[in-house]
Amino acid sequence: MSGWIVIAGLGPGAEELVTPEVRAALARATDVVGYIPYVARVAERPGLTLHASDNRVELDRARHALEMARAGGRVVVVSSGDPGVFAMASAVFEAVEVGPPAWRDLDIRVLPGITAMLAAAARAGAPLGHDFCAINLSDNLKPWALIEKRLRLAAQADFAMAFYNPRSRARPEGFTRALEVLRAECADDRPVIFARAVSTPEETLRVVPLPQAAPDMADMRTVVLVGSSRTRIIARDGTPIVYTPRFAPE
Amino acid sequence: MSGWIVIAGLGPGAEELVTPEVRAALARATDVVGYIPYVARVAERPGLTLHASDNRVELDRARHALEMARAGGRVVVVSSGDPGVFAMASAVFEAVEVGPPAWRDLDIRVLPGITAMLAAAARAGAPLGHDFCAINLSDNLKPWALIEKRLRLAAQADFAMAFYNPRSRARPEGFTRALEVLRAECADDRPVIFARAVSTPEETLRVVPLPQAAPDMADMRTVVLVGSSRTRIIARDGTPIVYTPRFAPE
């Protein structure tokens, strides 16, 4: 009886963005573990047990998955997007590091997925076409001072930026402060893209210059992209194309 | 006769990492355009013309693809990885911006793919599990001073980092200088991951502490990942697990 554990990325929402590799792992699984809305994306079938849990219990969920794999289960931990980008892979390895030594010898694999910023960037054009950074704006697990420091340095480095978890009902003020930092560091023509629920029926895309970016344009289903100083806007009928050129001047 | 153009990401190499969305676009295409080794990944079939071109002719390739779409072709421009990350999407939009106005009204879509850094991170564990940045180390299209500035600021921001195009025969010295910048800014225990040709039969993965990282560990098929100050290594038989925890201390 040899179990395994896979931490798999389901992509941003559309089934046509789930990789065949992830699909194959789900087809072989005995158990699927994850946050309720992600587990809801997995079809029920005989021989498969779905274990849906609430948000903010990532470590408990990880331990449960590891225990089932150790007992011989074929366990898939599902994340939306890519499991290695602000998602379940780190939680599982946090549990492995402090858990029983036998967990280290488990067959553990991470299967990549289409992460939200890349799906959003594709919809907008190619705003992340040059050097960029990804910052989780939630201060649940890190101090706000670190977020603010990273925002300032990222602006000084002239990175394009992607913000995950920009805003929640529990933390309405963080994104407001993030926009203030950006306005202090960046010129007014900097484009800001609000991409919500990309690849789902609820998808919306909005492009505004930095001074017009407002906190209530984002929620927890939104990824926010900010251009670099070199980012261009191509006007046309409908939503403009936003892209960052490959070259930078001397 | 209505053509379209799709800029599609083929992922890092394995067919099981190509999304169904990209597969469907290729099945409907009349023309596939791209760099020789990427076009070679597309199966020939009646009704499909493959247009393979050499490296460093991205703008010519983009214009050719746009002209064919304008003439009614169903054109897929293929990139490895994700087309929006140091790949063909920006080149196509550069061509659109300065091209005939009619190109703006074309049906242009970008289809995301699994980019090299996420495939590499998945193999190593979750080194990009917290805030991170992606930097193209090629100085073909930007001055080295800008690369070095970004490296310094990224280290000061304590981002995990992913480096694309770390080294080529034409530019052997850039990566050497990048490692010098990192050694000046980061502690000696910082893990460096050399991930080559991930998901192909030639895949190799090597994890070394920063002082042992050597320029010849990378080539143009390698993506290099550098941990943040918080990145952890879990020792076990075989390659260790490298991950960055979700939390940062006050």
Side-chain angles (χ1 to χ4, degrees):
Chain A
M1 188 171 68
S2 116
W4 47 253
I5 176 168
V6 154
I7 308 127
L10 296 177
E15 292 309 300
E16 62 186 0
L17 292 176
V18 180
T19 66
E21 182 181 58
V22 167
R23 191 68 67 202
L26 289 169
R28 294 185 58 217
T30 57
D31 297 272
V32 169
V33 176
Y35 178 40
I36 297 162
Y38 309 148
V39 172
R41 290 180 53 192
V42 179
E44 297 190 55
R45 61 171 165 76
L48 176 66
T49 306
L50 301 178
H51 307 264
S53 48
D54 207 349
N55 213 348
R56 300 210 183 184
V57 293
E58 288 84 0
L59 270 182
D60 292 340
R61 186 188 298 148
R63 285 187 209 103
H64 182 213
L66 288 157
E67 283 162 4
M68 288 193 294
R70 180 70 186 154
R74 300 189 296 275
V75 182
V76 177
V77 179
V78 289
S79 278
S80 75
D82 180 278
V85 177
F86 311 126
M88 277 302 295
S90 285
V92 170
F93 294 124
E94 286 163 29
V96 168
E97 188 175 14
V98 300
W103 283 0
R104 299 183 179 211
D105 298 323
L106 281 170
D107 178 1
I108 307 184
R109 283 169 298 145
V110 179
L111 305 187
I114 303 291
T115 185
M117 69 177 167
L118 297 185
R123 280 294 194 273
L128 305 179
H130 203 71
D131 302 334
F132 65 94
C133 65
I135 301 177
N136 186 344
L137 289 190
S138 167
D139 60 356
N140 286 338
L141 298 169
K142 63 184 167 186
W144 175 258
L146 179 60
I147 297 174
E148 188 165 322
K149 176 184 174 187
R150 285 181 175 157
L151 288 170
R152 284 191 198 285
L153 290 166
Q156 289 163 17
D158 201 18
F159 283 125
M161 305 179 206
F163 302 145
Y164 284 72
N165 303 317
R167 192 159 180 267
S168 72
R169 270 169 296 191
R171 307 172 288 101
E173 73 294 337
F175 186 50
T176 306
R177 292 162 72 182
L179 288 173
E180 285 165 6
V181 171
L182 292 178
R183 287 192 189 107
E185 298 282 344
C186 304
D188 282 355
D189 59 352
R190 195 66 64 97
V192 181
I193 299 160
F194 293 88
R196 184 172 188 278
V198 168
S199 87
T200 78
E202 294 82 42
E203 173 175 323
T204 60
L205 191 73
R206 188 170 183 175
V207 181
V208 298
L210 180 54
Q212 291 174 29
D216 64 3
M217 293 177 184
D219 64 12
M220 284 307 272
R221 294 190 72 191
T222 308
V223 64
V224 179
L225 307 179
V226 180
S228 77
S229 71
R230 303 270 313 149
T231 300
R232 308 280 307 161
I233 293 185
I234 304 177
R236 58 172 183 171
D237 289 344
T239 309
I241 296 166
V242 185
Y243 83 97
T244 305
R246 299 163 301 147
F247 49 86
E250 293 288 334
Chain B
M1 187 171 68
S2 114
W4 47 253
I5 177 169
V6 154
I7 308 127
L10 296 178
E15 293 310 300
E16 64 186 0
L17 293 176
V18 180
T19 67
E21 183 181 57
V22 168
R23 191 68 68 201
L26 289 170
R28 294 185 57 216
T30 57
D31 297 272
V32 168
V33 176
Y35 178 39
I36 299 162
Y38 309 148
V39 172
R41 290 181 52 192
V42 179
E44 298 190 55
R45 62 171 165 77
L48 176 66
T49 306
L50 302 178
H51 307 265
S53 48
D54 207 349
N55 212 348
R56 299 208 184 183
V57 294
E58 289 83 2
L59 270 181
D60 292 340
R61 187 189 297 151
R63 286 189 208 101
H64 181 214
L66 288 157
E67 283 162 4
M68 288 194 292
R70 180 70 186 154
R74 300 189 296 276
V75 182
V76 177
V77 179
V78 288
S79 278
S80 76
D82 181 278
V85 177
F86 312 125
M88 278 302 296
S90 285
V92 170
F93 293 125
E94 285 163 30
V96 168
E97 187 175 14
V98 300
W103 283 359
R104 300 183 180 212
D105 298 323
L106 282 171
D107 178 0
I108 307 183
R109 284 168 296 144
V110 179
L111 306 187
I114 303 292
T115 186
M117 69 178 167
L118 298 185
R123 280 294 195 274
L128 306 179
H130 204 72
D131 303 335
F132 65 93
C133 66
I135 301 178
N136 186 345
L137 289 190
S138 168
D139 60 356
N140 286 338
L141 298 169
K142 65 184 166 185
W144 175 259
L146 179 60
I147 297 174
E148 187 164 323
K149 177 184 173 188
R150 284 181 176 158
L151 287 170
R152 284 192 198 286
L153 290 167
Q156 288 163 18
D158 201 18
F159 283 125
M161 305 180 205
F163 301 145
Y164 284 71
N165 303 317
R167 190 160 181 266
S168 72
R169 270 170 295 189
R171 308 172 288 100
E173 73 294 337
F175 186 50
T176 306
R177 292 161 71 182
L179 288 173
E180 285 165 5
V181 171
L182 292 178
R183 287 193 189 106
E185 297 283 343
C186 304
D188 283 354
D189 60 352
R190 195 67 64 95
V192 182
I193 298 161
F194 292 88
R196 183 172 189 277
V198 167
S199 87
T200 77
E202 294 80 43
E203 174 175 323
T204 60
L205 191 74
R206 188 169 183 176
V207 181
V208 299
L210 179 54
Q212 290 175 29
D216 65 3
M217 292 176 183
D219 64 13
M220 284 307 272
R221 296 189 71 192
T222 308
V223 64
V224 179
L225 307 178
V226 180
S228 77
S229 73
R230 302 271 312 149
T231 300
R232 307 280 306 160
I233 293 186
I234 305 178
R236 58 171 184 171
D237 289 345
T239 309
I241 297 167
V242 184
Y243 83 97
T244 306
R246 299 163 302 148
F247 48 87
E250 292 289 331

